[in-house]
Amino acid sequence: MKKYTLIFASAAVGFLASCGGNSETAQESTPTETTAPESTETTSGEEGIAELTIESNDDMKYNLKTLEVKAGDQVILTLINKGTMPKEAMGHNLTILKQGIDLEEYAMAASKAKDNGYQVKGREGDVIAHTKILGPGESETITFNAPEVGTYKFLCTFPAHYGLMQGDFIVK
Ligand SMILES: [Cu+2]
C-alpha cells in the first residue's frame, strides 16, 4: 500500500512539474544556433566548488572552447584524452596562462621543453595551472583556486597543437 502511495506521489510531482515548467520546456526545444561547443556546465552543486571536465582527441581538438567558473571558486578540472594515438605523436595537456602572457610565444617556447612536460622551465609564474601531457585514454584532475575575474587563455602546449587547441577560461 505504501508503495502505491509513493508512486502516486511521484506521478503527481511529475505532473505538476511538467505543468509548471512551460517556459523551461520551450527553451529546451528551441534549437541552439551556436556552432561552437557550449561551455562546460559546473557539475558540483557545492557552493564555492567548480567541477569541470574537458576532453581532447586525435583531431587535435578540445571538446570545449570555453571553461567558466566564478571568482573565489576552488576549481576541480579534469582533462580526459579520448584519443587512441600514441602520446609521443598526439599527447595533450591543458595549460591556463596568466593574463598578459602571449599564448603563441609561450606555446613556441613550451614546445621545445619536452623534457619538462612541455612547460617552460623558470616560467612557472606565467601559468595558473596545467595538467601533464596525457597519452591515449589517460586523464588527470587538477585543483586550483580561480584567479580574479577576467578572461584567461588555455591551450595545449604539445608542439604545434596550440593553433587548434586553445580556448577561454572565464572567471566571472
Ligand atoms: Cu594537444
Side-chain angles (χ1 to χ4, degrees):
M1 189 61 197
K2 197 174 180 186
K3 202 173 180 181
Y4 287 116
T5 313
L6 277 175
I7 288 166
F8 175 76
S10 59
V13 167
F15 177 72
L16 286 171
S18 63
C19 282
N22 278 343
S23 58
E24 214 175 319
T25 314
Q27 264 180 2
E28 272 170 13
S29 61
T30 309
T32 46
E33 283 170 26
T34 45
T35 48
E38 297 292 323
S39 74
T40 187
E41 77 278 22
T42 310
T43 51
S44 174
E46 232 178 295
E47 189 74 11
I49 295 179
E51 216 170 336
L52 309 168
T53 301
I54 182 168
E55 297 170 4
S56 59
N57 62 31
D58 287 345
D59 294 333
M60 218 189 284
K61 280 180 182 152
Y62 293 120
N63 69 327
L64 299 170
K65 293 209 178 302
T66 308
L67 295 168
E68 199 175 299
V69 302
K70 289 199 219 71
D73 274 353
Q74 185 186 38
V75 183
I76 302 171
L77 174 60
T78 301
L79 172 65
I80 304 171
N81 184 10
K82 293 276 193 181
T84 57
M85 286 171 68
K87 187 173 170 175
E88 296 295 308
M90 190 53 76
H92 301 296
N93 71 10
L94 188 140
T95 303
I96 304 171
L97 298 177
K98 286 199 178 155
Q99 278 176 337
I101 306 302
D102 187 285
L103 181 143
E104 189 170 346
E105 184 271 325
Y106 186 86
M108 294 299 282
S111 69
K112 295 174 195 135
K114 188 182 179 189
D115 61 346
N116 196 43
Y118 295 113
Q119 298 296 337
V120 188
K121 263 182 200 154
R123 289 184 61 181
E124 291 78 12
D126 293 350
V127 174
I128 290 166
H130 69 85
T131 71
K132 62 184 186 212
I133 296 281
L134 303 180
E138 290 184 334
S139 69
E140 185 184 359
T141 300
I142 54 174
T143 302
F144 57 97
N145 294 320
E148 62 187 47
V149 170
T151 299
Y152 302 77
K153 283 288 179 189
F154 69 83
L155 73 152
C156 173
T157 61
F158 193 92
H161 282 200
Y162 73 91
L164 287 172
M165 299 189 76
Q166 58 172 279
D168 289 332
F169 181 82
I170 298 168
V171 183
K172 283 196 166 172

